[in-house]
Amino acid sequence: MGPERTKAMVNSLPVGFYWVVLILVLLAAIVTIPSLRRSGGLGLLHLGPALVIIGGIWGSSAGHLIRQYVTGSQKVPSGQMVLLEGAQQDQIGLADGRAFRLPFAVRLARFEIQYYSPGFITIRTGGAEMIRLPAVPGRSCSIGPGAVRLEVLQVFENLKVDIGSEGKHIYDDPNGPSNPAVAVRLIEEDGSARQIYLFARYNQWHGTSGGLEMAYSRPIKDFISHIEVLQSGRVVTSKAVEVNRPLHHAGYYLLQASYGIDPQTGRSYSVLSVVSDSGLWLVFAGYGLIIFGMVWQLWINRIVISHMRNKRPV
Amino acid sequence: MSIKTSFQGLLIYLAMALYLAALVMSILRRQRACQRLFLAGCISTMLAIIYRWAHTGHPPMQNLFEVFLWLGLLAYPASLASDRILGLSSVRADICIGILALIPAGLVFSDQPQALPAALQSPLFIPHVAMYMISYMFMAKAGYWAIIQLTSRPGQVQTTADRATYMTICAGLPFMTAGLLLGSIWGHYAWGDWWGWDPKEMWSLACWSVFLLYLHVRSGTGVRYPRLNPILALTGLAFIVITLLWVNLSRLFAGLHSYAV
């Protein structure tokens, strides 16, 4: 069972009933079992999970729906926003296909992909031999039964080709959309040499040559959306949103989810997850109680006191 | 099978040899030599980790090769902590756990360095994995005591083993809890979900629940059912093995933690 199906199941009505019963059992245990009240650590260990479940219900789809019905709150649990570089958007797509208008707009000022350096050229021979060569100018290797030699000539951040009356002019253009590539020279056994280009954007085995297949790849280090949040047309906050560093604004977290390149325009686009913060602080408070209770009960009450009394437990 | 001929590999094999020599010294009742060799094996493993860290440029906690390397390192400090703080001496078992942890690192898993994906570049990466590694080491030690408890006849040895299992689980469970909760907080900041019902998360929760069940059963029934407590402790250890190996390696459990292979 995948995470999506499991999530749907634990959010279903019968399992929702189970969560409510579990909260009541945990709270009833604190009230009715004297040892849970006497020992602070044990009490916290039972109150913590109850808070986590209450926070989970509060932040769930059902929790949002109930609050919408009772208080008229206009908040959704989560959605996704697709932003083209330079564009502005105030709507998110919900899981059921509907669109929802946020109380603020988001503009993607710039989208940035950071790569690990150097990239790698992967070479595969018919005999299933696999070689990884760092894409550093001057590096070389011999491959295949015919002992073909491959030399790295030049690495391009953004390879561009101008075709003019004097022929092709290939150069590295620091401006414009990124087109990372590498130029390599293949020297055959008979000494004949030719130059080919491998492109990181086309991560297929595209540099096919005489039984050799080659690909140039640059492992992605990070992808960053430089965004601005606008309210009534005015920028109220801005942040470089990247994986693990979301933006928190107006009850929502904006997280870097994915990215891509629009095939029509060649412009980058970023996919942001927009997630409600409802119930989150209850969950984290519950976590605090659980860990504090566990340290109190198992380390201080059981181990430290026993150690300090110099009563070796065994 | 992945034999390593690098300097890092040689350090791992040296650590395995030193641990083995420490075990032999322990059997020969030369405790001082045993402790020194055990420490030397730990230092050799630590050097392999430092070398790995410098070579990859990021904390070596990304894949199973690196995780087992850490477990091999932790065998000695966990043994020392058990002896000094809990008053539990099980040096032969601790050395065996260290060797068992280094075998997959030295002979099974590939040491091919991998680029650290964006999701793992978090301040919570080191504490989350470290908490789990320390807890796994304590739970492995608890498993040893549970086997002693299960295989001994009622009497002093069984009572001693029962208390040792309990105290070791008491030492390890807060680490496991911290690992679980830090992972959940990290999940919120990385994916926007503090609980994603991913297979690795589910199995981690199952592990934690089994040890909680152990504490509840032991507190509720005491020694009335002498075999139930050690069986629960061993079930928890089996769940850890499943979480660490099967969930990571099997294609059956596709999820957000696939980079851990």
Side-chain angles (χ1 to χ4, degrees):
Chain A
M1 187 186 284
E4 289 309 317
R5 283 179 66 189
T6 313
K7 200 169 184 172
M9 192 191 78
V10 296
N11 281 291
S12 64
L13 197 63
V15 184
F17 180 70
Y18 161 80
W19 294 126
V20 174
V21 170
L22 188 56
I23 294 168
L24 294 175
V25 167
L26 286 165
L27 296 178
I30 297 169
V31 174
T32 57
I33 303 173
S35 63
L36 296 192
R37 289 198 306 278
R38 277 200 305 273
S39 162
L42 278 181
L44 294 182
L45 272 172
H46 288 78
L47 186 60
L51 277 187
V52 172
I53 301 167
I54 293 168
I57 293 173
W58 193 260
S60 68
S61 302
H64 279 83
L65 265 177
I66 292 167
R67 283 202 306 287
Q68 209 169 17
Y69 184 72
V70 176
T71 67
S73 149
Q74 289 297 316
K75 206 172 174 186
V76 288
S78 64
Q80 286 208 324
M81 174 185 274
V82 181
L83 280 164
L84 270 170
E85 217 169 6
Q88 184 177 315
Q89 176 72 274
D90 66 353
Q91 287 198 343
I92 54 172
L94 305 180
D96 59 9
R98 287 183 299 132
F100 176 81
R101 192 175 296 277
L102 293 167
F104 54 85
V106 181
R107 196 176 85 84
L108 179 63
R110 189 163 62 89
F111 182 72
E112 182 189 348
I113 303 174
Q114 293 178 349
Y115 296 94
Y116 282 103
S117 184
F120 285 94
I121 300 165
T122 311
I123 307 134
R124 200 163 63 176
T125 66
E129 187 188 359
M130 185 91 93
I131 296 170
R132 276 182 100 199
L133 180 70
V136 176
R139 292 291 293 263
S140 63
C141 67
S142 296
I143 20 158
V148 176
R149 187 155 185 79
L150 184 144
E151 284 176 11
V152 181
L153 297 177
Q154 192 178 353
V155 178
F156 298 86
E157 274 301 309
N158 180 31
L159 185 143
K160 268 200 161 181
V161 184
D162 280 349
I163 301 171
S165 55
E166 292 171 10
K168 279 195 293 187
H169 172 48
I170 297 169
Y171 62 103
D172 204 354
D173 181 4
N175 304 310
S178 158
N179 182 26
V182 61
V184 296
R185 182 188 290 138
L186 284 168
I187 305 160
E188 303 288 346
E189 207 178 4
D190 59 8
S192 61
R194 62 204 165 86
Q195 188 172 322
I196 62 166
Y197 292 89
L198 308 171
F199 297 89
R201 281 267 176 89
Y202 312 98
N203 56 355
Q204 307 290 328
W205 295 97
H206 64 287
T208 308
S209 171
L212 296 176
E213 290 181 305
M214 286 165 272
Y216 173 44
S217 60
R218 296 200 305 171
I220 289 171
K221 191 174 182 184
D222 205 355
F223 37 107
I224 307 165
S225 296
H226 298 266
I227 60 167
E228 293 170 343
V229 175
L230 301 104
Q231 257 167 334
S232 313
R234 199 167 55 85
V235 176
V236 287
T237 185
S238 60
K239 185 170 178 171
V241 171
E242 54 189 303
V243 182
N244 289 311
R245 284 167 190 84
L247 169 70
H248 188 210
H249 181 74
Y252 289 99
Y253 278 92
L254 279 77
L255 302 107
Q256 182 67 64
S258 183
Y259 68 92
I261 293 161
D262 182 13
Q264 304 291 321
T265 61
R267 284 158 72 198
S268 299
Y269 67 84
S270 175
V271 183
L272 299 179
S273 282
V274 181
V275 180
S276 162
D277 67 357
S278 296
L280 188 67
W281 294 108
L282 271 175
V283 172
F284 287 175
Y287 284 178
L289 295 188
I290 291 171
I291 196 71
F292 189 62
M294 194 140 295
V295 169
W296 186 349
Q297 182 63 24
L298 300 187
W299 282 358
I300 296 173
N301 282 357
R302 290 284 173 275
I303 296 171
V304 176
I305 290 177
S306 165
H307 181 69
M308 283 172 72
R309 283 179 186 156
N310 205 17
K311 280 185 181 170
R312 290 170 80 83
V314 180
Chain B
M1 190 94 169
S2 167
I3 304 288
K4 293 154 187 81
T5 51
S6 62
F7 178 63
Q8 173 190 255
L10 295 179
L11 283 170
I12 298 169
Y13 299 137
L14 175 65
M16 288 164 77
L18 287 165
Y19 280 175
L20 209 58
L23 185 64
V24 172
M25 286 297 144
S26 173
I27 292 166
L28 296 174
R29 299 188 182 281
R30 296 182 64 180
Q31 294 311 323
R32 212 181 161 92
C34 163
Q35 283 297 333
R36 283 182 181 169
L37 286 165
F38 197 8
L39 172 64
C42 173
I43 291 170
S44 184
T45 314
M46 191 188 290
L47 290 174
I49 289 173
I50 292 168
Y51 178 89
R52 177 76 175 178
W53 200 320
H55 184 58
T56 58
H58 58 75
M61 295 173 152
Q62 185 183 1
N63 50 37
L64 287 174
F65 164 73
E66 293 167 342
V67 161
F68 277 100
L69 212 50
W70 278 101
L71 289 174
L73 169 83
L74 287 169
Y76 179 77
S79 179
L80 206 64
S82 291
D83 187 38
R84 301 274 166 88
I85 300 168
L86 305 179
L88 303 169
S89 185
S90 57
V91 72
R92 280 183 209 168
D94 298 339
I95 295 168
C96 289
I97 291 170
I99 295 170
L100 282 175
L102 286 179
I103 287 172
L107 301 172
V108 179
F109 295 114
S110 162
D111 61 352
Q112 179 76 43
Q114 294 161 318
L116 200 66
L120 295 188
Q121 294 162 32
S122 162
L124 294 169
F125 178 39
I126 295 177
H128 166 65
V129 182
M131 290 296 112
Y132 263 119
M133 292 307 98
I134 297 169
S135 79
Y136 286 174
M137 187 48 64
F138 275 108
M139 296 319 185
K141 286 164 64 60
Y144 159 74
W145 287 114
I147 290 169
I148 300 287
Q149 190 183 349
L150 207 58
T151 52
S152 57
R153 290 189 181 144
Q156 184 59 34
V157 174
Q158 197 176 67
T159 310
T160 302
D162 172 62
R163 290 211 66 191
T165 310
Y166 174 66
M167 292 301 280
T168 313
I169 288 175
C170 283
L173 196 56
F175 287 114
M176 184 180 276
T177 309
L180 183 72
L181 302 186
L182 286 170
S184 168
I185 294 168
W186 184 4
H188 162 70
Y189 285 104
W191 302 314
D193 238 345
W194 54 269
W195 197 261
W197 304 103
D198 177 84
K200 189 82 182 272
E201 294 174 1
M202 297 286 281
W203 278 99
S204 301
L205 183 65
C207 287
W208 189 68
S209 306
V210 171
F211 287 110
L212 286 187
L213 183 65
Y214 167 87
L215 291 180
H216 280 86
V217 168
R218 192 180 183 279
S219 135
T221 64
V223 289
R224 222 179 311 154
Y225 306 104
R227 298 203 179 274
L228 184 57
N229 295 334
I231 285 172
L232 279 173
L234 286 170
T235 306
L237 184 60
F239 272 45
I240 288 175
V241 174
I242 291 171
T243 308
L244 193 60
L245 293 176
W246 195 31
V247 177
N248 275 330
L249 296 174
S250 169
R251 289 176 190 275
L252 198 64
F253 301 106
L256 293 164
H257 290 81
S258 52
Y259 46 74
V261 177

